[in-house]
Amino acid sequence: MTFMKDVRFVGCSLDDLKHFPAGARREAGFELSNVQAGLQPSDWKLMNTVGAGAVEIRIKDAAGICRVIYVARFEEAIYVLHAFQKKTRKTRKADIELAKARYKALVEKRKRK
């Protein structure tokens, strides 16, 4: 039996993911379930600018481009830091900064436990 890590959403990342187009939302769920099972997403990129071990799931849907930034390096769970839709090729600095701030807050919270 394979142990599946919990998926925990940081900030409003779950609400943001719920606003994805239906196809992209389904694909994000599929990719996160693969990560839970210890597999890699089908299209991903390391996001070390966000924090050590941060990964961006890249989803291209007929309705647009969506991204999910998560970190899975902690034993207890996979943390979804940010989910957003892109309008341009380049990721907005505000999206990266938000994910980075949530990563930093998560690390600090884990230290206090």
Side-chain angles (χ1 to χ4, degrees), residues 30-56:
F30 175 77
E31 297 293 358
L32 286 171
S33 68
N34 279 344
V35 174
Q36 280 184 287
L39 304 172
Q40 291 181 339
S42 57
D43 188 2
W44 61 278
K45 175 181 157 185
L46 277 177
M47 296 292 289
N48 288 326
T49 55
V50 170
V55 175
E56 176 183 68

Side-chain angles (χ1 to χ4, degrees), residues 1 5 11 16 20-21 23 31-32 35 38 40 50 67 69-70 88-90 96 99 106:
M1 186 157 137
K5 283 187 178 182
D16 294 338
F20 281 10
E31 297 293 358
L32 286 171
V35 174
Q40 291 181 339
V50 170
R67 299 289 190 256
I69 299 176
Y70 72 91
T88 63
R89 249 180 92 89
K90 187 171 176 155
I96 293 171
L106 173 64

Side-chain angles (χ1 to χ4, degrees), residues 10-11 47-55 69-74 79-82 95-111:
V10 181
M47 296 292 289
N48 288 326
T49 55
V50 170
V55 175
I69 299 176
Y70 72 91
V71 62
R73 71 181 188 102
F74 304 119
Y79 292 93
V80 176
L81 303 171
H82 189 32
D95 288 315
I96 293 171
E97 292 301 318
L98 178 59
K100 190 185 293 188
R102 288 178 177 170
Y103 183 96
K104 185 177 178 183
L106 173 64
V107 169
E108 289 299 316
K109 183 179 177 183
R110 291 182 82 254
K111 281 182 186 175

